Amino acid sequence: MVQFVVFRFVIFYILLQLSQQTYFVSNVAFTDTNLAQYLLGGTVTWSPPSTTSGVCCYSANLYDSDSGTIYELSTDKINFGTNYFTINSRTPINAATQFVVTTYDSQYIVLASVYYTFVDKAIPVGVVTSLSCTDTDKLIGEISGPITWDTASVDSLATGINFYTSTDCITRSVQIAQVDITAIQYDIPNNFPRNGAICILAIFYNADGEAEDSSSVSFVDIG
């Protein structure tokens, strides 16, 4: 009877020790540096597992949680002690929504996997069309009046439009306004200083930034 109790205690102790060992990495993080939709760039980082004995290496891959498909980012394992993996700057997402960071032993047997849901940052790619502006301010060096555009043709990623003055129809000079994507017109307030500008620029934007391309319209200071 005593031997049986001792045996049960030993088994319990072993199971307790095993339960306290965890090979899961923690603090997985990733910021997408490629601002094109459906493409990723940047570095996946993590903290090592609390149990490091027997850990050989890691892998970091893309994972589709719906189908269970793993999109391999590299055939090489990541050495233990290296807690990051930099992906190609134009890595296609495919159907993935997560990264999976896996811990292996020296025989490349999986010890644990951690899943991290990433955010695909993407700026607008379209340009504002049919941009129009007429100066109604009667003073030289000042502008005012309505800015209009084709409200039926907007970038699906855009949440708004930024308007700027420009002295060369390319470079942003002074921001005039930021309007929501649902706006149908913007009226430049009276006595807005022209500061040498000859054009108005319009650029789609969202929370991830402005589109790379802008549209422009020149105007005549009628003062």
Side-chain angles (χ1 to χ4, degrees):
M1 181 66 178
V2 174
Q3 290 180 332
F4 178 72
V5 172
V6 171
F7 175 75
R8 289 187 60 184
F9 175 79
V10 170
I11 295 298
F12 173 78
Y13 179 78
I14 293 174
L15 292 175
L16 179 63
Q17 291 298 107
L18 290 174
S19 68
Q20 291 176 339
Q21 293 183 338
T22 173
Y23 294 101
F24 294 95
V25 300
S26 59
N27 302 318
V28 180
F30 173 78
T31 299
D32 183 16
T33 58
N34 186 317
L35 297 182
Q37 191 176 28
Y38 307 127
L39 291 176
L40 298 177
T43 300
V44 188
T45 62
W46 58 87
S47 297
S50 58
T51 299
T52 59
S53 176
V55 175
C56 158
C57 45
Y58 308 105
S59 67
N61 295 298
L62 289 171
Y63 179 73
D64 176 8
S65 57
D66 290 332
S67 67
T69 303
I70 292 178
Y71 299 95
E72 196 171 63
L73 297 175
S74 174
T75 57
D76 296 327
K77 295 293 187 287
I78 303 162
N79 291 333
F80 176 72
T82 302
N83 302 315
Y84 66 89
F85 179 72
T86 300
I87 67 175
N88 184 288
S89 61
R90 293 183 59 82
T91 298
I93 286 179
N94 297 304
T97 56
Q98 295 179 313
F99 282 104
V100 53
V101 181
T102 301
T103 308
Y104 300 87
D105 68 10
S106 60
Q107 302 300 313
Y108 298 149
I109 295 173
V110 173
L111 296 174
S113 292
V114 171
Y115 300 86
Y116 171 82
T117 301
F118 61 80
V119 176
D120 175 21
K121 291 193 173 185
I123 59 174
V125 294
V127 295
V128 179
T129 57
S130 302
L131 186 65
S132 175
C133 177
T134 301
D135 181 22
T136 60
D137 191 292
K138 304 301 183 182
L139 297 175
I140 290 290
E142 296 178 355
I143 57 174
S144 66
I147 302 175
T148 60
W149 58 95
D150 182 2
T151 57
S153 178
V154 297
D155 190 291
S156 61
L157 294 174
T159 58
I161 303 173
N162 283 331
F163 294 106
Y164 300 88
T165 59
S166 175
T167 57
D168 58 8
C169 300
I170 298 174
T171 307
R172 303 166 178 82
S173 297
V174 177
Q175 186 171 26
I176 300 172
Q178 184 177 85
V179 302
D180 189 82
I181 201 65
T182 59
I184 59 174
Q185 178 176 306
Y186 176 76
D187 293 317
I188 304 173
N190 291 332
N191 309 119
F192 193 91
R194 184 166 69 87
N195 292 326
I198 59 173
C199 289
I200 302 293
L201 300 183
I203 308 172
F204 285 125
Y205 77 91
N206 62 18
D208 293 325
E210 291 186 330
E212 293 183 354
D213 298 321
S214 64
S215 55
S216 67
V217 60
S218 59
F219 60 84
V220 177
D221 187 351
I222 65 170

